[in-house]
Amino acid sequence: MRVLEDDMFPSTPGKLPVLRRHLVQVLRRLLGRAALGAPDPRVRCSLALRKRGDGVVGIDNFNSYYDPSLKKARRSLLASHGVFVIEGDINDGRLLAKLFDVVPFTHVLHLAAQAGVRYAMENPASYVHSNIAGLVTLLEACKDADPQPAIVWASSSSVYGLNDKVPFTESDRTDQPASLYAATKKAGEEITHTYNHIYGLSITGLRFFTVYGPWGRPDMAYFSFTRNILQGKPITVYSGKNRVDLARDFTYIDDIVKGCLGSLDTAGKSTGTGGKKRGPAPYRIFNLGNTSPVTVPNLVSILEKHLRVKAKKNVVEMPGNGDVPFTHANISLARQQLGYKPTTNLDVGLKKFVKWYLSYYGYTRGSKNL
């Protein structure tokens, strides 16, 4: 692990616009083989915050869970908009301590995690390191900071697990996880509640529902489907028991960003000083979804339309790897308290994604080298 060196910061950091006002630390997926987030809320939130005049500092270790060139392209995009990204690891407590010492953050937007349900069966340790140990290291830095920042962090709709009551509501039971990934996110909710109770940290947890869009994660279905369809390769479409189509509450990245910013703007202040609680602080959990589940076959049909290529499909029964057959968000609470209102349906969102994909990868018809 790296210790934060002085030359990792710009000179006179306190005087630069990027380190002033409503500062948000965008903590990205950092540990081991952990992946950068779904269509990247980190990137989109950072750009949205900078656009409105907020200061933003990011941290990333640029690991090789998937092609680091995509991650570095994101960093270049952020740098061009005045977002300073530190190369480092959220499990490095000394790094975080120095970072918090240099910058008096008012808010932390913690979107770091090892994502994905199926990969947990291959590398369970990476989920514990990122989603539990990394979270605790960050919370320790936040509770020791003076002033303590308000924290907004990414939980997941996966915490609803084997719950079959739809749509999913924040008050539903979440004690039956279907995957290790879901279990670590549920553990995160319990851990953050503890830090809120003991140390007075203001904490908002966001349960994301299948986020998609430009700059996304290549291992997600919509992304890998696009790649394989363009290359003429078959795609695997899972079905549930009795060949029931799987369905997801696909949520476009720009809608997620609105929810993240709404959470930051409405977060109450932390009440502790130097790790000592002085009074109760807000603890909130919200669903951020689209409220309109779409089946995976319909997702494929929309991609075929925008790519103008027919997919070669292998339909197989979903293996017992922790995936759930459907997700559906009740967003009444987020609408009421955050003003959250998703506006992008899957057809429009995938059209925007396809346009970005073709541009970013420089696709030409017939190419087999994407």
Side-chain angles (χ1 to χ4, degrees):
M1 294 184 181
R2 299 180 57 176
V3 177
L4 191 63
E5 303 294 344
D6 290 339
D7 60 6
M8 294 178 70
F9 290 102
S11 59
T12 61
K15 297 181 181 179
L16 289 181
V18 73
L19 299 177
R20 65 169 174 79
R21 268 187 72 202
H22 173 89
L23 291 167
V24 179
Q25 183 185 16
V26 182
L27 293 164
R28 308 174 75 180
R29 304 184 188 277
L30 303 174
L31 282 181
R33 296 180 63 191
L36 286 170
D40 218 62
R42 287 134 294 276
V43 172
R44 292 300 187 97
C45 286
S46 297
L47 295 176
L49 290 165
R50 285 298 297 139
K51 184 177 181 180
R52 72 182 199 181
D54 295 349
V56 184
V57 176
I59 180 170
D60 191 352
N61 76 349
F62 300 97
N63 63 74
S64 58
Y65 174 68
Y66 59 83
D67 185 6
S69 66
L70 179 59
K71 303 173 185 180
K72 292 179 179 178
R74 294 173 181 149
R75 178 173 62 177
S76 297
L77 175 64
L78 291 173
S80 69
H81 288 82
V83 177
F84 181 57
V85 180
I86 297 166
E87 185 167 355
D89 192 313
I90 60 168
N91 263 292
D92 189 339
R94 289 188 296 172
L95 183 153
L96 293 182
K98 186 159 188 179
L99 179 58
F100 277 74
D101 183 57
V102 171
V103 183
F105 294 104
T106 62
H107 294 74
V108 168
L109 179 58
H110 175 48
L111 304 177
Q114 169 63 62
V117 169
R118 298 166 196 163
Y119 182 59
M121 299 180 71
E122 300 176 34
N123 190 358
S126 66
Y127 288 76
V128 176
H129 281 300
S130 288
N131 301 359
I132 297 178
L135 174 61
V136 170
T137 302
L138 171 64
L139 291 172
E140 281 290 304
C142 290
K143 63 98 169 170
D144 289 337
D146 189 9
Q148 288 180 339
I151 301 166
V152 175
W153 75 287
S155 182
S156 170
S157 61
S158 293
V159 300
Y160 291 109
L162 300 178
N163 174 35
D164 58 4
K165 170 185 168 292
V166 292
F168 299 154
T169 302
E170 290 87 347
S171 59
D172 290 345
R173 65 183 299 181
T174 55
D175 59 352
Q176 295 180 306
S179 66
L180 178 62
Y181 168 68
T184 61
K185 283 299 186 179
K186 175 59 178 177
E189 293 188 353
E190 304 300 334
I191 290 168
T192 54
H193 185 275
T194 301
Y195 274 80
N196 165 264
H197 173 69
I198 296 176
Y199 301 112
L201 287 173
S202 170
I203 297 179
T204 302
L206 303 176
R207 293 173 177 170
F208 292 164
F209 281 71
T210 316
V211 187
Y212 73 99
W215 296 99
R217 207 175 74 230
D219 63 324
M220 291 191 71
Y222 75 97
F223 203 118
S224 61
F225 283 176
T226 298
R227 180 178 62 247
N228 288 348
I229 290 172
L230 287 171
Q231 293 180 350
K233 297 178 180 178
I235 63 174
T236 299
V237 178
Y238 292 122
S239 65
K241 292 182 180 180
N242 301 317
R243 298 189 71 83
V244 174
D245 291 335
L246 304 186
R248 293 289 182 268
D249 198 339
F250 295 99
T251 315
Y252 189 63
I253 180 60
D254 288 354
D255 291 325
I256 289 292
V257 169
K258 293 173 185 175
C260 288
L261 268 61
S263 298
L264 290 167
D265 291 341
T266 59
K269 292 184 178 181
S270 293
T271 60
T273 301
K276 294 183 179 181
K277 179 180 177 180
R278 294 189 174 183
Y283 184 82
R284 311 180 299 173
I285 290 180
F286 298 106
N287 287 338
L288 292 187
N290 190 56
T291 75
S292 300
V294 176
T295 66
V296 174
N298 281 345
L299 163 73
V300 174
S301 296
I302 295 171
L303 283 174
E304 290 175 324
K305 179 180 72 172
H306 293 306
L307 292 169
R308 290 180 289 171
V309 180
K310 194 72 175 175
K312 301 175 182 177
K313 292 171 280 192
N314 292 328
V315 180
V316 301
E317 185 171 327
M318 180 176 64
N321 56 16
D323 262 333
V324 294
F326 57 84
T327 61
H328 184 185
N330 180 332
I331 61 169
S332 300
L333 190 63
R335 182 183 291 115
Q336 176 187 0
Q337 296 191 25
L338 307 179
Y340 174 70
K341 184 179 179 181
T343 59
T344 306
N345 63 37
L346 188 61
D347 184 74
V348 172
L350 285 179
K351 181 178 181 180
K352 293 179 179 180
F353 166 74
V354 166
K355 181 179 180 180
W356 168 84
Y357 187 99
L358 297 177
S359 174
Y360 180 82
Y361 288 100
Y363 176 77
T364 55
R365 301 293 175 184
S367 171
K368 301 294 183 182
N369 299 316
L370 291 179

